[in-house]
Amino acid sequence: MDSHLYDEPPPSYVVAVSGDCMEASTLVHNDGRVDVTVVAKQAGLNDFLPSNPPTETRPLPDVPLSAITPLNIVIQIVGSRGDVQPFIALGTRLQKNGHRVRLATHGNFRDFVHKAGIEFYPIGGNPEELMSVGIFLTLDRDKFMVKNPGIIPKMSTIAGGEIGRKRQMIAEMLDGCWRSCVEPDSETKIPFVADAIIANPPSFAHIHCAQALGVPLHMMFTMPWSPTKEFPHPLANVKGSGTDASLRNYMSYSMVELLTWSGLADIINRWRVKALNLEELSPRTAAGLMEIGHHILVHNPSPSCYALTDLCPSIDVCGFFFRDEPLYTSPEIQEFINRGSMPVYIGFGSIVMDDSAAMTAMIQGACQELGIRAIVFKGWSKLGQGCNDPNILFIDDCPHEWLFKHVAAVVHHGGAGTTACGLLNGCPTAIVPFFGEYLTMTSQPFWAKMVAAAGAGPSPIDHKVLTIKLLSEAIAFCLTRNAQQAAASIALRMKSEDGVSNAAASFHRHIPWKDVKCDLLPSEAAAWLVDKKRGLKLSHKAMVILSQHKQIDMQHLKPYRAKEMRIEKIYTDPFSSTSAAVLKTMTDFTVGLGKLSTSPTKGMTQMTSSLVKGTLVDAPTALAEGLRNVPRLYGERPEKPVPIEGWKSGMTHAGKVSREP
């Protein structure tokens, strides 16, 4: 692999766009959070937001098992063990429904996946290293910001190769995800071509693989990842004036999506062309690609935790994915539990801390101050070294499903899986978000706020300001009667849900079975198409039988595509259109910045020209296009476009359109 191709630096930390209608800007902080500021310059912008879907459009009817055709399903997951485990539960359920399921993730989870009886495919990438990769920057944000307190990275950081190594790892995982769709099982050598893809957003390759194969895609994540007016993107802090919360919340999703793409655009486009034989994506298209493809999105937290009223029919809130409790016993842990009062669990999972000794001392100090006992997970930071306190047991990996039945409260970093398991077992929960966990970092502050709002835990404590006193107070809150009652109430509601069954049902509801099935053998998935004139869909078996009986001409066969994706972005609102245009400017600026170390003249030229062109032409054109197409939201025909030559004409026309009755 050409490592020099991945040496470009990350994008700028600040994005801003301004016009007659509004101003919007983003600012990325050290901890990975994003400030999204929206300032309205005229009234009525909220009217451009999509209205809530009619309740009669949801839900689609369930599909009886007798109508389901067995499919080859690949599940692509990037992240830590907490990200992988829920999909082991889902994969097990889908296998019971007759499907062949392959879980594609990092190589160190091979045994974890195989023990569950699921086929495994390695996509590359080291999750421990990835824990320090920023979602936008694909590098260790804390170290980067220490070295580079300003917006533009220093040349020493670029030349040091740190950024390039992280970006190369992303490229490796993109290739691995594509191979997971089409390569035989590495152990059994049984051929495999995916009929459908399930993925979490951080795997990045999902929609591109689905486009290349022409198969359905189902996105599943542990928190809201689709625009809603009810609360902002979990990674965003929204601010603004002249606008109400619904507009700011809704716009935060497109701004975060814009920043995410800007950090990976060149890597993904290079991979699309080289590996998938697909065209490059323009930034304006890429920023709304999920919307173009009409792909299914499943939120797999509990609906008991939050409710959304403005979701479109292709989005389901299913509930947490819990696996069956594994058989487990530990004489050491059981003896510690039986020895005294019910302990508190403390663990930070796959977080890699700079000073694990300081955290160990802090945990010990809090336990001594409260006079409590604790079971502490050593984790990737190897907590507990040198600590011999008899009231604290430091443990290696242990199933939370078993352990959390025996603790009084839990303290952790806020991962969705740990939060869910604690609440399911009625454990009050104190969350110390670290924010830097790769790509799942959004779940930490999100779940911290949700737990605190429900009264089942204290307000979150940023790990950077954590002290013995603050940790003691957080644990003390969890041990109060009110917190215990709130956690018990959540547990009661969660136990009535079956997230895995709901997600499997959602998957089956949204598969276009008429398009997927073979016309001659409907119990099998179609893989071949006999010329367009006949339009006959055939499975592998049907094709072989017809060929042996000379009923088809093999020259007329072509691979069948059950779900075509036409990449033609039509902007239906002014917010996503403007964001996408700004994204192109950011991407071009970033590439120019990357050339500075090898070709200063070319790099500076591209940086300057991208800012000028983006400011004067691209963004105002996109804003005018988005406002022009607002009538599509209400079933009306938009007016024909007028030529836009710069900010003055673009914003003038945008303002004119927005003011028209």
Side-chain angles (χ1 to χ4, degrees):
M1 187 176 290
D2 299 324
S3 59
H4 69 280
L5 296 176
Y6 307 103
D7 290 338
E8 292 91 348
S12 167
Y13 296 97
V14 181
V15 183
V17 61
S18 177
D20 291 344
C21 299
M22 66 175 181
E23 296 178 353
S25 63
T26 63
L27 173 64
V28 181
H29 291 284
N30 306 30
D31 58 14
R33 301 283 285 173
V34 181
D35 280 348
V36 175
T37 304
V38 181
V39 179
K41 296 184 177 180
Q42 63 181 57
L45 291 181
N46 283 34
D47 295 337
F48 294 131
L49 294 176
S51 56
N52 293 352
T55 55
E56 62 267 18
T57 63
R58 296 186 287 169
L60 294 174
D62 285 336
V63 178
L65 291 179
S66 59
I68 293 173
T69 296
L71 303 175
N72 287 344
I73 303 171
V74 61
I75 303 177
Q76 298 174 343
I77 304 298
V78 164
S80 66
R81 174 177 172 137
D83 298 290
V84 174
Q85 182 167 305
F87 290 93
I88 286 181
L90 178 62
T92 301
R93 173 56 58 88
L94 292 173
Q95 283 187 158
K96 292 178 180 178
N97 294 147
H99 303 293
R100 177 181 175 186
V101 178
R102 166 181 286 185
L103 207 161
T105 186
H106 312 294
N108 58 314
F109 297 125
R110 178 188 299 272
D111 291 343
F112 185 41
V113 174
H114 276 164
K115 286 179 180 178
I118 297 176
E119 183 177 331
F120 173 82
Y121 192 93
I123 63 171
N126 184 330
E128 187 167 355
E129 290 185 32
L130 289 173
M131 290 306 140
S132 61
V133 181
I135 188 169
F136 305 125
L137 307 184
T138 63
L139 55 86
D140 185 324
R141 177 176 297 279
D142 287 338
K143 293 180 181 178
F144 180 83
M145 291 299 289
V146 168
K147 298 175 187 175
N148 305 274
I151 293 175
I152 305 300
K154 293 180 180 178
M155 196 60 62
S156 59
T157 303
I158 300 173
E162 182 177 3
I163 300 171
R165 287 192 298 272
K166 305 295 186 179
R167 287 162 55 84
Q168 186 171 343
M169 190 178 297
I170 298 292
E172 175 190 356
M173 291 189 296
L174 291 173
D175 280 331
C177 284
W178 169 240
R179 291 195 302 271
S180 74
C181 294
V182 296
E183 289 195 353
D185 181 75
S186 59
E187 297 182 5
T188 66
K189 308 304 179 185
I190 298 175
F192 181 95
V193 177
D195 299 313
I197 298 173
I198 295 173
N200 68 346
S203 60
F204 292 126
H206 38 71
I207 195 167
H208 311 285
C209 294
Q211 182 191 359
L213 289 174
V215 300
L217 169 64
H218 290 67
M219 301 297 298
M220 300 189 181
F221 209 32
T222 55
M223 72 203 72
W225 206 256
S226 52
T228 174
K229 294 175 283 187
E230 300 193 17
F231 48 75
H233 190 288
L235 192 60
N237 298 311
V238 294
K239 306 176 181 179
S241 61
T243 60
D244 65 19
S246 62
L247 176 61
R248 298 193 296 270
N249 291 344
Y250 191 88
M251 193 166 180
S252 69
Y253 289 81
S254 63
M255 297 300 284
V256 171
E257 183 180 11
L258 182 156
L259 284 170
T260 305
W261 171 259
S262 71
L264 300 170
D266 59 324
I267 300 175
I268 291 177
N269 271 332
R270 188 180 299 121
W271 166 72
R272 279 176 60 90
V273 172
K274 183 177 180 180
L276 306 186
N277 197 30
L278 296 174
E279 73 281 6
E280 289 190 1
L281 295 175
S282 69
R284 291 176 65 183
T285 299
L289 195 58
M290 292 299 299
E291 179 186 345
I292 298 171
H294 301 291
H295 297 291
I296 311 306
L297 183 63
V298 170
H299 299 164
N300 60 311
S302 168
S304 301
C305 297
Y306 65 82
L308 299 176
T309 61
D310 58 347
L311 295 179
C312 70
S314 63
I315 300 177
D316 292 325
V317 180
C318 293
F320 287 110
F321 298 175
F322 293 112
R323 61 176 179 172
D324 294 334
E325 182 178 336
L327 295 175
Y328 181 80
T329 181
S330 170
E332 180 187 26
I333 298 177
Q334 191 64 62
E335 191 276 333
F336 181 84
I337 291 172
N338 296 339
R339 193 192 312 158
S341 60
M342 184 175 287
V344 168
Y345 169 84
I346 303 174
F348 302 103
S350 50
I351 295 297
V352 180
M353 303 178 193
D354 291 333
D355 191 347
S356 60
M359 179 60 76
T360 299
M362 201 177 303
I363 292 171
Q364 184 178 19
C367 290
Q368 290 175 346
E369 184 172 307
L370 293 172
I372 62 172
R373 304 190 314 136
I375 296 176
V376 180
F377 177 47
K378 297 176 183 177
W380 288 6
S381 293
K382 299 178 175 57
L383 297 175
Q385 293 184 353
C387 179
N388 297 310
D389 192 320
N391 290 315
I392 303 178
L393 178 65
F394 292 92
I395 64 171
D396 293 310
D397 192 25
C398 171
H400 289 166
E401 298 94 333
W402 177 84
L403 182 60
F404 287 1
K405 296 179 185 298
H406 305 286
V407 297
V410 295
V411 180
H412 56 81
H413 59 298
T418 310
T419 302
C421 192
L423 294 177
L424 180 69
N425 286 283
C427 298
T429 301
I431 294 179
V432 182
F434 280 72
F435 302 105
E437 186 178 356
Y438 172 67
L439 299 172
T440 58
M441 60 186 176
T442 51
S443 67
Q444 297 177 13
F446 178 81
W447 289 118
K449 292 178 181 178
M450 290 295 174
V451 169
S459 298
I461 309 171
D462 186 344
H463 75 101
K464 294 178 182 177
V465 300
L466 186 66
T467 62
I468 292 177
K469 182 176 184 296
L470 289 176
L471 182 58
S472 299
E473 291 174 350
I475 296 174
F477 182 97
C478 289
L479 298 178
T480 63
R481 184 175 181 81
N482 286 342
Q484 292 169 349
Q485 289 177 340
S489 176
I490 295 174
L492 187 63
R493 296 196 300 272
M494 288 178 63
K495 288 176 180 178
S496 68
E497 303 163 359
D498 188 347
V500 172
S501 294
N502 293 337
S506 173
F507 174 82
H508 291 134
R509 278 197 304 271
H510 292 289
I511 288 289
W513 291 108
K514 182 178 178 180
D515 298 328
V516 167
K517 293 174 181 283
C518 170
D519 289 333
L520 301 183
L521 298 175
S523 62
E524 298 191 8
W528 300 97
L529 182 68
V530 180
D531 63 56
K532 292 184 178 179
K533 185 176 180 181
R534 296 178 64 181
L536 189 65
K537 307 190 301 294
L538 302 176
S539 66
H540 290 294
K541 182 183 293 186
M543 180 271 290
V544 170
I545 294 172
L546 291 178
S547 175
Q548 289 175 343
H549 290 79
K550 303 187 185 308
Q551 295 298 307
I552 57 172
D553 184 345
M554 299 294 287
Q555 293 183 348
H556 292 165
L557 284 179
K558 60 184 296 186
Y560 175 63
R561 300 171 61 84
K563 187 175 179 63
E564 288 286 1
M565 186 194 306
R566 295 183 179 180
I567 300 183
E568 181 183 0
K569 176 64 175 173
I570 298 176
Y571 292 106
T572 56
D573 64 80
F575 313 118
S576 60
S577 62
T578 306
S579 299
V582 175
L583 171 58
K584 182 178 188 302
T585 302
M586 288 179 56
T587 304
D588 291 346
F589 182 88
T590 298
V591 173
L593 180 59
K595 294 178 180 178
L596 283 177
S597 60
T598 56
S599 180
T601 301
K602 291 183 179 179
M604 187 60 68
T605 299
Q606 180 163 352
M607 291 164 61
T608 303
S609 63
S610 66
L611 291 175
V612 172
K613 182 176 183 294
T615 303
L616 298 182
V617 180
D618 290 342
T621 301
L623 180 57
E625 179 184 345
L627 287 168
R628 180 178 68 83
N629 282 298
V630 163
R632 294 182 188 274
L633 296 175
Y634 307 98
E636 301 176 11
R637 178 174 296 182
E639 65 176 41
K640 293 182 179 180
V642 298
I644 304 297
E645 298 177 353
W647 261 115
K648 185 174 181 180
S649 61
M651 294 308 299
T652 299
H653 182 67
K656 176 183 177 183
V657 172
S658 67
R659 289 191 292 269
E660 288 179 352

